[in-house]
């Protein structure tokens, strides 16, 4: 038996809902603090954002620290590798640029193609069994 890895692609992180808890949420949203609020409400296993060029005072990746503080994994893809606002672009060509410690623990290493990192996570999770009741 294995634990399935659900992947949900959303152009905006605002499209997530509580039924998406535990999924890998690949979004086209920037990784700012407003985006973190939507990820906190849905509680995905991993939230993926666009770094939006990082910005002044690292505003484009601020969600990573906020989500880490709540025990959630989050990473960004480089704005030079994927179009902001497009989850398909993040999936098709995104390269991880930043990751919080929880995302690093899941294998989301900066410099890796997002598809490669998610594929490796999926392979690792297939070997896990859900806890027995």
């Amino acid at each position: 038996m294995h634990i399935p890895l659900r992947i949900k692609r959303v152009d905006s992180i605002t499209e997530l809902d509580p039924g998406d808890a535990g999924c890998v949420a690949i979004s086209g949203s920037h990784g700012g603090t407003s985006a973190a609020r939507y990820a906190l409400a849905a509680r995905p296993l991993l939230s993926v954002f666009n770094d939006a060029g990082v910005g002044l005072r690292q505003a484009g990746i601020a969600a990573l620290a906020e989500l880490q503080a709540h025990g959630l994994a989050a990473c960004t893809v480089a704005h030079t590798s994927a179009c902001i606002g497009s989850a398909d672009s993040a999936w098709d060509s995104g390269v991880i640029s930043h990751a919080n410690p929880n995302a690093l623990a899941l294998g989301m290493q900066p410099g890796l193609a997002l598809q490669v990192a998610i594929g490796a996570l999926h392979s690792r999770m297939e070997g896990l069994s859900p806890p027995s009741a």
Side-chain angles (χ1 to χ4, degrees):
M1 185 167 241
H2 69 278
I3 297 174
L5 183 63
R6 292 183 302 122
I7 297 175
K8 182 159 185 183
R9 289 193 236 178
V10 292
D11 290 334
S12 172
I13 200 74
T14 64
E15 297 172 49
L16 294 180
D17 61 48
D20 295 318
C23 78
V24 171
I26 300 171
S27 81
S29 293
H30 61 75
T33 55
S34 62
R37 288 191 291 268
Y38 293 98
L40 278 170
R43 304 199 61 81
L45 170 69
L46 171 68
S47 297
V48 179
F49 303 100
N50 189 297
D51 72 15
V54 181
L56 183 64
R57 291 189 287 277
Q58 299 191 330
I61 62 169
L64 278 58
E66 188 167 341
L67 293 171
Q68 179 68 32
H70 288 89
L72 296 173
C75 67
T76 58
V77 296
H79 70 286
T80 55
S81 70
C83 296
I84 297 171
S86 173
D88 287 342
S89 181
W91 178 250
D92 292 340
S93 60
V95 175
I96 298 169
S97 57
H98 300 87
N100 68 15
N102 284 345
L104 290 170
L106 293 176
M108 302 301 116
Q109 296 293 325
L112 281 180
L114 181 64
Q115 276 192 37
V116 170
I118 298 295
L121 175 61
H122 177 74
S123 294
R124 285 191 307 276
M125 290 190 74
E126 282 212 324
L128 300 176
S129 296
S132 54

